[in-house]
Amino acid sequence: EIVDRSITTCDRVVNEKLGTIDYVRKTGGMSAKALKRLKAKGEIPVILRIAPELERGRLIYQIGTGESTLALAAALQVQQDVDGLDINMGCPKKFSVSGGMGSALLSDLSRACDIIKTLRANVDVPVSAKIRLLKDDASTVDFIRSLIKAGANAVTIHAREVGDESQQPAKWDRLVNVVQAVKAVESVPIIINGDLYTRNDFTTMKERTGADGVMLARPALYNVSLFKKPLSTPDDAAANYGSSHGYDSSLLESKTSVVQSYLEHCLMYAPNAKNVKYVVCEMMNNRRNPSRLVPNLPMTFPGGQSIKSVSNCHSLEEICQLWDVTSSGARSGATGQGSATERHYDDRYFLDPEALKRERNSKTTQDAKKAAVVTREEVPKNDEGTAGITKRQRVE
């Protein structure tokens, strides 16, 4: 997901050295300090880097947006390089909701539909939306059908409500009810999402719901080889979709080889090393996986790699060395093409998340108190010099 305003501040650049399409933030509005830092590190302020040789025909661009005009501007910026547009209507994070984006749209149907309708009328690629379950099944079905009426080409449903923690089980029973109700009256593809960690899960839930497909997020971070397809000949159908594709499926690659494959691609396309470190650490922990499934999701690495050893790395080269990935796979010309990151990463996010959370909560409390003081100081005073208090109120 990329927020609408972020991509619209970019120039589209054909990167011939990497064979990519880069969306690079305009430097005109950057401070002298930021420009100096970019130059010193040899980085480019890339917001989005697309590799057509790998992604053509399969890339869906998810927009974080809350307004149809901003959504359209972002869509027109990227539509020539993507195969579809998806509107994130499910993110419950504060930064998203406070901007009227993500799950804030679930409580504003007219705005959500306006975004879909505007995009469908003005872009040349399919438009979809990803939502969460609403407070009850009937409300969820009505919301989905309204999006379809507005022109949505597909809808993805995450089987949790706003406020549900990722460690809690997805609400599969509710998902079944909602999808079946929608499919009974609509023909638009419905995609399901939430705790689908095995191919057996894919098959079971598609059969139970009647859904057209599945979407993976955290399961893909755990082991992206989940996307490997089994043979689909009639003779092998039973074996392909039976119990052989659970947590110990023979299709799954080792987690070490998955991380190594990811790093090999990083060497080809020069992402920011901090982003790489974050992704690898996400692949190595169960902090956001459902508690009941953790015993089925081992985090063992024969090479002795740990989140601490990854966090101690300060460059892509160091990370690759830790995972025994040689730099021979680096694309010629990748030097100097590294993308900058606008995010501030703190290794404690993985190493000591509780301490980091306490620190951030403390800072938030302090900032709130400072804001309250400033607000009181800014209250207009009346003729007697008392901030908004009348003589009668002072006496009482």
Side-chain angles (χ1 to χ4, degrees):
E1 176 196 8
I2 298 179
V3 173
D4 47 26
R5 291 183 179 88
S6 185
I7 202 68
T8 54
T9 62
C10 295
D11 289 319
R12 179 181 183 274
V13 178
V14 177
N15 188 327
E16 296 181 353
K17 292 183 178 180
L18 296 181
T20 60
I21 304 297
D22 293 351
Y23 284 83
V24 183
R25 187 178 298 287
K26 295 179 174 69
T27 57
M30 291 186 178
S31 66
K33 183 178 180 181
L35 292 172
K36 184 178 180 180
R37 184 171 62 249
L38 287 175
K39 184 176 181 180
K41 294 184 176 182
E43 295 178 339
I44 304 170
V46 177
I47 300 302
L48 173 65
R49 175 167 283 167
I50 298 172
E53 63 181 326
L54 292 179
E55 299 175 291
R56 183 178 288 116
R58 62 186 71 180
L59 178 61
I60 305 299
Y61 177 87
Q62 189 176 67
I63 308 174
T65 188
E67 301 293 340
S68 59
T69 53
L70 296 174
L72 180 58
L76 293 175
Q77 179 89 334
V78 301
Q79 70 166 338
Q80 63 183 310
D81 298 312
V82 302
D83 303 287
L85 300 164
D86 186 70
I87 306 303
N88 185 348
M89 299 186 183
C91 181
K93 298 298 183 182
K94 183 179 178 180
F95 83 90
S96 186
V97 175
S98 62
M101 303 179 290
S103 60
L105 291 170
L106 296 178
S107 57
D108 195 335
L109 180 59
S110 61
R111 194 156 51 93
C113 289
D114 182 46
I115 292 171
I116 298 295
K117 187 179 297 183
T118 299
L119 292 182
R120 287 285 285 122
N122 293 281
V123 300
D124 300 322
V125 295
V127 177
S128 60
K130 182 175 186 289
I131 72 168
R132 285 179 174 244
L133 295 170
L134 276 68
K135 60 181 179 180
D136 56 64
D137 295 351
S139 299
T140 309
V141 172
D142 288 344
F143 192 92
I144 295 168
R145 295 196 67 192
S146 295
L147 294 179
I148 293 172
K149 185 177 180 180
N153 298 108
V155 178
T156 299
I157 310 166
H158 178 59
R160 287 184 175 84
E161 300 174 43
V162 174
D164 289 347
E165 296 293 338
S166 60
Q167 294 87 352
Q168 298 172 336
K171 296 174 177 176
W172 282 3
D173 289 340
R174 283 202 60 198
L175 188 65
V176 170
N177 295 337
V178 168
V179 178
Q180 287 183 346
V182 173
K183 294 300 289 183
V185 291
E186 303 287 357
S187 59
V188 165
I190 300 297
I191 302 164
I192 55 175
N193 170 248
D195 292 1
L196 303 172
Y197 280 84
T198 71
R199 279 201 164 266
N200 287 350
D201 294 337
F202 304 172
T203 306
T204 298
M205 285 305 291
K206 282 185 67 178
E207 290 176 349
R208 288 183 62 191
T209 62
D212 300 275
V214 301
M215 178 183 287
L216 307 183
R218 286 175 290 111
L221 271 175
Y222 174 72
N223 192 328
V224 75
S225 65
L226 267 172
F227 287 105
K228 289 181 64 177
K229 293 182 179 181
L231 297 174
S232 56
T233 60
D235 291 341
D236 295 325
N240 288 339
Y241 295 101
S243 60
S244 59
H245 295 304
Y247 292 98
D248 58 350
S249 170
S250 59
L251 292 172
L252 292 175
E253 299 177 8
S254 71
K255 287 186 62 66
T256 294
S257 65
V258 169
V259 173
Q260 290 172 331
S261 178
Y262 168 68
L263 293 175
E264 288 167 357
H265 281 84
C266 290
L267 287 170
M268 294 177 66
Y269 298 108
N272 186 273
K274 289 183 180 179
N275 292 351
V276 174
K277 182 161 71 170
Y278 175 85
V279 172
V280 172
C281 286
E282 283 283 20
M283 297 167 75
M284 296 178 70
N285 79 91
N286 277 313
R287 67 187 183 87
R288 292 197 293 179
N289 293 326
S291 303
R292 65 185 177 85
L293 300 182
V294 168
N296 300 316
L297 306 173
M299 294 291 178
T300 55
F301 302 93
Q305 297 90 348
S306 64
I307 289 178
K308 183 176 182 179
S309 62
V310 173
S311 296
N312 287 335
C313 295
H314 300 289
S315 67
L316 177 57
E317 290 71 22
E318 289 183 13
I319 300 173
C320 288
Q321 184 176 8
L322 177 66
W323 290 90
D324 197 26
V325 174
T326 65
S327 59
S328 60
R331 180 158 295 187
S332 176
T335 302
Q337 299 299 308
S339 59
T341 179
E342 298 179 348
R343 292 182 175 273
H344 173 69
Y345 291 115
D346 190 319
D347 289 335
R348 290 178 299 167
Y349 186 71
F350 294 103
L351 295 174
D352 195 352
E354 290 303 317
L356 181 60
K357 183 177 180 180
R358 288 194 298 272
E359 179 181 304
R360 288 179 172 174
N361 288 341
S362 176
K363 185 177 185 303
T364 299
T365 301
Q366 293 173 7
D367 290 345
K369 290 180 179 179
K370 290 179 181 177
V373 170
V374 171
T375 301
R376 286 196 295 271
E377 291 176 349
E378 292 178 348
V379 173
K381 295 183 178 181
N382 58 25
D383 293 339
E384 299 181 2
T386 306
I389 303 177
T390 66
K391 182 183 292 185
R392 179 180 178 183
Q393 288 172 324
R394 291 200 302 276
V395 171
E396 293 175 348

